[in-house]
Amino acid sequence: MLETLWNNRIEVIAVVLFAVGLTTLFLHKNLLKKIIGLNIMDTSGYLFLTSLGYIEGRLSPIVSDGNTDPSRYVNPLPAGLVLTGIVVSVSVTAVMLALTLRLYRRYHTLNLDEIYRIVHREQEEEP
Amino acid sequence: MNFCLNFPLFLIVGSLLFSVISSVLPKKAARVLTLFLTLAGALLNLVIAVYCQRTGGSFTYLMGHYPHPWGNELRIGFVEALFSSVFSAVLFLTVVGGRTTLEKRVAREKGQFYYCMCDLVQAALLVLVYTNDLFTGYVFIEICTIASCGILMIRENGRTILAAVRYMIFSLIGSGLFLLGVIFLYAVTGHLLMPNLRESIAALVSGQVYRLPLLASLCLITIGLSIKSGLFPFHIWMADTYGNAIPASSGILSGLISKGYIFFLIKIIFDVFGTEVFYASGIHNVVFALGALGILIGSVSAIRENNILRMSAFSSAAQIGYIFMGLGLSPALGMEAALFHIIAHAVTKPALFLAAGYLSDSMGSAKKFRNLSGAGYVNPAAGVFFSFEAFSMIGLPLTAGFISKYLFGIAAFESTHNKMIPTLLVLAVSTVLNTAYFARTVLRIYSKNKEPGKFMRVAVKEQKNYMVSAAVFTALNILFGVLAYPLIDMLAVGLTVF
């Protein structure tokens, strides 16, 4: 059991990080911490992918000395996926930060429960 | 005729390109582009649907001519073409019908961004329907999330921003889980294209290896996509979101975007795992139970609501429950019922939201029921269309809603795993509950106004766009309700090559 965990330590760390990020995103009241949780969650996925793509002793897939034997190089696809994923997570984070900024300017707090209480009161008063 | 095989790529690239251009165009030009694009989407996909129907199969479009397992592919059959046609048509009609409220409620200098987001929604929906590659699917799921957040908070007040934040949090959890599921699949199979995944998964299942990772990945993908589409108990973001956005946005979100995710899930079940694996995993039972619970709890919450838009939102949660119930019921008839309900709900819900929005506008932005008495007299067109769509949601004959309830009933009779009685019970109870809250609303908008003369009767001239779009929605609804059988037969044939 322990040996399996040790052999797959990077994957285990990735899954633990994913859980940490997910619970922070879901349960934390503070909007900024939620966004940090989101980033931890996404990054753990990229850690998993990167570790899949790394094979010890092989080179990065850029042919420089004329050797085109594919067994010398690692598969570039996981790295490509990670790069795409990073772009996605950066843009989502930007959107979330912009939303948070708007909310903060309006309600002067980052506590989601607090904002919810204020908004609920507003809603009761409308026609 | 073979030229039509290029249409999907044209539409996707066109949508992405137009959305970028729209952001710097004046509002009117951006609107023309969006209308052109969505109409083109509806018509061209209809052509592809006819082509696939004639050839009786599906085709794979290699992007850049790289064969699998390296390239990126689109795969289109009758079902995909039909759904993208319906999605584009509904988007077109919703944009046409929601124009008046959009111009009234949204700051003048931001109008073009709304159309820019609509183009992005169209691109994302088309890719989710067509794509043959899981990672491309993930990227466009995120694009869809961002675009829907944009159309939600285009009318900027505190509540829409809060609703958008909540929606984003749920959506991001969903896409995070989906991504983890895709990574697990990639780790055990080494593929991302659906046909290769299907082969490797079949080999793994028959060799009895990697059972746990496969099951975990199926779970994660199903949970991720059902969170995003709002299956019970993840439906709690819906009421705030749909209750505060402008009606066109609520319509697009509940009628199209949620359905896009569900369609992608169905595609994954068929093309990646295979129905045998899905229906042997036990996950379908969970999906079935959550769907059934979602129907009941969504309907009860709708009855308890005193706000017309929030009530429609809870009714959306119930309708999502129907689709998932069909998905969990059986691979053939249950799936057909679920697919038909996606179409039926897509042509009903946006029209209902638009009508509710116009009714509320004509009563001075009133949303609470107590302030809506007599709204049907103040705005006769919206009142009539609201009542019709409500009848379709209840499932009266001649409407699309009737056919989908009927199909769920048939599917229940032919299902084997002790699901017949619960399905029939849920259908019966939910019809009663639906009738309760929709009848209450219709009676309310046609009841006597306490202060007659306070609100001016809305002139036809002021809402020509809306009336045209609502009339087309109604016609489509009756069309699907009356001529359902040819369509269902074609769906059944299409599912065999799905």
Side-chain angles (χ1 to χ4, degrees), chain A residues 22 25-26 34 41 45 48 77 81 88 92 96 99 102-103 106-107 116 119 122-124 126-127, chain B residues 135 142 153 156 158-159 162 166 168-169 172-173 176 183-184 186 192 240 310 365 367-368 371:
Chain A
L22 188 78
L25 176 59
F26 201 46
K34 268 187 192 297
M41 186 177 86
F48 200 127
L77 191 64
L81 297 181
V88 169
V92 171
M96 280 301 281
L99 288 173
R102 294 273 161 93
L103 272 184
R106 202 168 185 106
Y107 297 109
Y116 213 67
V119 167
E122 272 180 27
Q123 193 141 13
E124 289 301 310
E126 71 168 1
Chain B
F135 205 80
E142 293 286 36
M153 52 165 298
E156 207 181 297
R159 265 169 292 152
L162 182 65
R166 270 197 120 192
M168 283 295 274
I169 290 168
L172 293 174
I173 290 172
I183 294 174
F184 278 180
Y186 183 62
L192 287 168
D240 288 319
R310 290 173 66 92
S365 305
K367 287 178 190 161
K368 301 262 164 68
N371 299 327

Side-chain angles (χ1 to χ4, degrees), chain A residues 53-120:
Chain A
Y54 177 70
I55 302 171
E56 205 154 349
R58 296 225 192 153
L59 301 174
S60 62
I62 300 165
V63 180
S64 55
D65 54 358
N67 191 330
T68 51
D69 175 21
S71 66
R72 262 172 54 116
Y73 302 103
V74 296
N75 186 350
L77 191 64
L81 297 181
V82 171
L83 283 178
T84 320
I86 288 174
V87 173
V88 169
S89 99
V90 165
S91 33
V92 171
T93 310
V95 173
M96 280 301 281
L97 283 173
L99 288 173
T100 308
L101 193 65
R102 294 273 161 93
L103 272 184
Y104 185 75
R105 278 195 192 139
R106 202 168 185 106
Y107 297 109
H108 306 291
T109 169
L110 284 174
N111 185 326
L112 206 54
D113 289 354
E114 192 72 27
I115 300 174
Y116 213 67
R117 255 195 303 271
I118 303 173
V119 167
H120 197 69

Side-chain angles (χ1 to χ4, degrees), chain B residues 281-337:
Chain B
S281 65
I283 295 174
H284 66 296
N285 292 325
V286 179
V287 167
F288 173 82
L290 290 181
L293 274 174
I295 298 173
L296 297 177
I297 291 174
S299 306
V300 171
S301 315
I303 288 183
R304 292 177 40 176
E305 201 46 69
N306 62 357
N307 173 320
I308 188 168
L309 290 175
R310 290 173 66 92
M311 182 204 80
S312 310
F314 278 119
S315 135
S316 279
Q319 305 301 320
I320 299 286
Y322 276 108
I323 300 172
F324 276 100
M325 186 175 81
L327 230 158
L329 208 52
S330 66
L333 287 174
M335 200 62 97
E336 263 170 52

Side-chain angles (χ1 to χ4, degrees), chain B residues 39 48 72 80 140 197 264 352 363 388 410 441 487 495:
Chain B
L39 194 62
I48 305 172
N72 197 338
E80 283 95 336
F140 278 85
L197 276 169
F264 192 51
L352 191 83
M363 300 298 283
F388 178 82
I410 298 280
T441 320
L487 182 74
L495 271 183

Side-chain angles (χ1 to χ4, degrees), chain B residues 37-68:
Chain B
L37 189 74
T38 45
L39 194 62
L43 296 178
L44 295 184
N45 276 306
L46 213 55
V47 173
I48 305 172
V50 172
Y51 174 86
C52 291
Q53 172 69 16
R54 287 242 180 96
T55 53
S58 60
F59 62 90
T60 307
Y61 190 87
L62 306 181
M63 311 272 270
H65 297 285
Y66 295 108
H68 66 93

Side-chain angles (χ1 to χ4, degrees), chain B residues 2-291:
Chain B
N2 275 339
F3 184 68
C4 78
L5 305 188
N6 293 309
F7 289 166
L9 183 71
F10 292 168
L11 285 170
I12 293 169
V13 174
S15 314
L16 290 172
L17 196 69
F18 282 8
S19 74
V20 176
I21 300 172
S22 292
S23 58
V24 293
L25 286 180
K27 190 167 72 178
K28 203 170 164 200
R31 181 172 64 229
V32 172
L33 276 187
T34 302
L35 291 179
F36 167 75
L37 189 74
T38 45
L39 194 62
L43 296 178
L44 295 184
N45 276 306
L46 213 55
V47 173
I48 305 172
V50 172
Y51 174 86
C52 291
Q53 172 69 16
R54 287 242 180 96
T55 53
S58 60
F59 62 90
T60 307
Y61 190 87
L62 306 181
M63 311 272 270
H65 297 285
Y66 295 108
H68 66 93
W70 297 289
N72 197 338
E73 294 175 354
L74 303 175
R75 216 213 49 197
I76 299 104
F78 173 75
V79 181
E80 283 95 336
L82 177 76
F83 273 77
S84 22
S85 177
V86 171
F87 286 165
S88 304
V90 171
L91 190 58
F92 174 78
L93 291 171
T94 315
V95 171
V96 169
R99 188 179 142 190
T100 325
T101 29
L102 181 71
E103 286 177 1
K104 213 184 299 177
R105 300 255 183 86
V106 173
R108 186 173 291 274
E109 68 281 2
K110 284 203 310 190
Q112 75 272 29
F113 294 121
Y114 192 79
Y115 297 111
C116 160
M117 292 298 161
C118 287
D119 296 348
L120 271 186
V121 166
Q122 155 111 341
L125 283 175
L126 287 177
V127 174
L128 286 184
V129 173
Y130 293 145
T131 188
N132 221 359
D133 182 286
L134 275 185
F135 205 80
T136 312
Y138 166 70
V139 172
F140 278 85
I141 282 177
E142 293 286 36
I143 291 180
C144 202
T145 308
I146 294 176
S148 44
C149 175
I151 60 171
L152 268 181
M153 52 165 298
I154 194 79
R155 177 173 63 151
E156 207 181 297
N157 61 29
R159 265 169 292 152
T160 51
I161 301 174
L162 182 65
V165 167
R166 270 197 120 192
Y167 172 74
M168 283 295 274
I169 290 168
F170 273 93
S171 268
L172 293 174
I173 290 172
S175 35
L177 293 173
F178 177 82
L179 178 65
L180 194 64
V182 172
I183 294 174
F184 278 180
L185 267 189
Y186 183 62
V188 292
T189 63
H191 291 295
L192 287 168
L193 275 177
M194 292 187 182
N196 301 90
L197 276 169
R198 179 83 200 266
E199 269 169 37
S200 322
I201 288 175
L204 290 180
V205 168
S206 63
Q208 302 262 327
V209 281
Y210 287 128
R211 280 176 61 186
L212 197 62
L214 277 182
L215 189 67
S217 139
L218 181 56
C219 272
L220 287 168
I221 289 178
T222 316
I223 296 173
L225 287 175
S226 46
I227 291 179
K228 290 184 79 84
S229 50
L231 174 66
F232 172 83
F234 312 113
H235 68 292
I236 39 177
W237 53 266
M238 274 187 177
D240 288 319
T241 311
Y242 299 164
N244 292 316
I246 63 172
S249 306
S250 311
I252 293 173
L253 237 81
S254 91
L256 300 174
I257 293 176
S258 308
K259 307 296 154 52
Y261 299 137
I262 300 180
F263 190 90
F264 192 51
L265 177 62
I266 293 179
K267 197 163 166 152
I268 290 174
I269 291 171
F270 269 86
D271 289 355
V272 175
F273 289 95
T275 42
E276 324 66 63
V277 177
F278 180 72
Y279 287 97
S281 65
I283 295 174
H284 66 296
N285 292 325
V286 179
V287 167
F288 173 82
L290 290 181

